[in-house]
Amino acid sequence: MASHDFSFIFYITLFLLFHGNINATYDQVVSPGFSYSGTNDGPGKWGNINPAYVKCRTGKTQSPVDIVVNQAVINKSLTSLSTDYFPVNATLINHKFIIELRLGNAGKFNLNGKDYTLTQMHWHTPSEHRINGVQYGAEAHMVHVAADGSRAVIGILYKIGKADPLVARMQNKLVELANEQGGDIGVGKFNTKKLGRKTRKYYRYVGSLTTPPCIEDINWTILGKVRSISKEQINLLEAPLETTCKTNCRPLQPLNSRHVEMYDELV
Ligand SMILES: *[C@@H]1O[C@H](CO)[C@@H](O)[C@H](O)[C@H]1NC(C)=O
Ligand SMILES: *[C@@H]1O[C@H](CO)[C@@H](O)[C@H](O)[C@H]1NC(C)=O
Ligand SMILES: *[C@@H]1O[C@H](CO)[C@@H](O)[C@H](O)[C@H]1NC(C)=O
Ligand SMILES: *[C@@H]1O[C@H](CO)[C@@H](O)[C@H](O)[C@H]1NC(C)=O
């Protein structure tokens, strides 16, 4: 198959993935068709690789961004996060540029009266979003999709330190994933209930997917509480990925006319 066929298959996979259409039949372990460090397919070139990726180049409301805390606008109508997650059978999938933990339907996140279903989570190392210019060791993205197809992502930042219990829960499966050529690996019942609960502080803005096709109108929530992950766990998350994608953080994007809103229980 020619390389453009691979990127087509890849795009179909991404389309289904981010539209919440869960069908494992479509999973393909192929080269992503873009990278994080290649001269011809790195982040600066994503918008030229495929017409479907044009937003990566022309979009004006892209992600990730640097959150400058003293420029964030406190919005009194924001409230503590309302999530209602439950345990589900989860599956690890190696997309070569990212490790996805597919959840299917693991409950909901209510944003301004609208329900978004938690469909999957995945990790970026180091972090994509920064706070006051500080880049953290890792960032998890919890991807939610509403009935009308709109998306909301909750981002969780991790500094390097003690192990993260959630990643610990699937560590041996990550080792398997790195040893296999492909294939999805079931990790059994996975509980995300504790994530996003009792959030005292978060940042909110409208941005994009941080990977091609860089689609916009994504409602971002970055939690103020920084968790911790061990260096060993970061290595496990990176091991199954393509060499040019092990460091899979997209460079910062300009805020342009946007502002970041902030919820802080103490203010
Ligand atoms: C997944 O896709 C295959 C191939 O198109 C189809 O036969 C199958 O019914 C689909 N399964 C689900 C659960 O949508
Ligand atoms: C504050 O938050 C509310 C609820 O999410 C939103 O509708 C409103 O647009 C926000 N206000 C500003 C100034 O961003
Ligand atoms: C969850 O997965 C286990 C084994 O992987 C399987 O035995 C069980 O039936 C699954 N449960 C559901 C509700 O799909
Ligand atoms: C993002 O969420 C806020 C609620 O906090 C809502 O007012 C706004 O319309 C949403 N934007 C998009 C693009 O979904």
Side-chain angles (χ1 to χ4, degrees):
M1 231 193 290
S3 65
H4 62 271
D5 294 323
F6 284 112
S7 54
F8 178 71
I9 289 168
F10 174 72
Y11 181 64
I12 293 293
T13 307
L14 253 196
F15 183 84
L16 294 170
L17 178 62
F18 289 112
H19 286 75
N21 186 342
I22 309 306
N23 190 329
T25 322
Y26 285 98
D27 294 336
Q28 305 280 340
V29 180
V30 296
S31 287
F34 65 85
S35 82
Y36 286 86
S37 57
T39 10
N40 299 318
D41 62 1
K45 299 284 164 62
W46 290 353
N48 304 324
I49 292 173
N50 184 318
Y53 298 173
V54 69
K55 280 282 178 199
C56 303
R57 180 163 53 85
T58 62
K60 293 284 178 278
T61 57
Q62 291 284 297
S63 295
V65 297
D66 181 27
I67 296 165
V68 180
V69 176
N70 68 14
Q71 283 170 19
V73 182
I74 291 172
N75 183 340
K76 295 282 186 197
S77 32
L78 296 178
T79 54
S80 181
L81 290 190
S82 166
T83 59
D84 183 12
Y85 300 143
F86 45 77
V88 288
N89 261 357
T91 308
L92 270 180
I93 299 161
N94 183 6
H95 292 290
K96 294 291 184 183
F97 70 101
I98 215 132
I99 304 296
E100 176 196 351
L101 181 68
R102 187 166 291 178
L103 301 165
N105 174 358
K108 52 184 188 258
F109 168 35
N110 187 286
L111 191 60
N112 230 19
K114 184 164 161 182
D115 280 341
Y116 292 77
T117 301
L118 174 60
T119 60
Q120 56 111 326
M121 58 186 296
H122 60 258
W123 289 262
H124 293 269
T125 58
S127 79
E128 300 206 289
H129 288 91
R130 300 186 195 197
I131 296 184
N132 287 338
V134 175
Q135 186 173 35
Y136 291 87
E139 180 171 340
H141 288 161
M142 303 178 73
V143 181
H144 304 75
V145 185
D148 64 3
S150 63
R151 280 151 285 204
V153 184
I154 297 181
I156 306 171
L157 301 168
Y158 296 81
K159 61 178 189 303
I160 298 174
K162 61 178 184 359
D164 172 52
L166 207 83
V167 175
R169 167 77 186 69
M170 56 180 205
Q171 255 173 243
N172 54 344
K173 304 292 182 183
L174 284 169
V175 174
E176 265 182 60
L177 206 63
N179 294 337
E180 280 187 17
Q181 278 312 309
D184 303 346
I185 298 180
V187 296
K189 276 268 182 297
F190 208 89
N191 198 351
T192 48
K193 217 172 170 57
K194 284 194 179 129
L195 293 174
R197 209 165 51 176
K198 296 198 187 122
T199 311
R200 299 208 166 84
K201 187 174 184 176
Y202 64 80
Y203 304 98
R204 165 81 38 83
Y205 79 101
V206 178
S208 72
L209 297 181
T210 62
T211 54
C214 308
I215 293 165
E216 298 187 322
D217 294 320
I218 308 289
N219 222 313
W220 279 95
T221 301
I222 306 295
L223 303 188
K225 180 186 161 141
V226 175
R227 293 169 185 262
S228 83
I229 188 168
S230 68
K231 189 73 189 87
E232 184 202 1
Q233 291 180 319
I234 287 179
N235 292 341
L236 290 171
L237 286 166
E238 291 179 354
L241 303 176
E242 202 120 290
T243 313
T244 53
C245 297
K246 288 189 194 292
T247 293
N248 56 6
C249 63
R250 186 186 192 195
L252 290 173
Q253 303 296 307
L255 260 184
N256 295 325
S257 56
R258 293 173 288 176
H259 61 266
V260 175
E261 290 172 47
M262 178 166 88
Y263 166 75
D264 189 339
E265 194 184 74
L266 304 174
V267 179

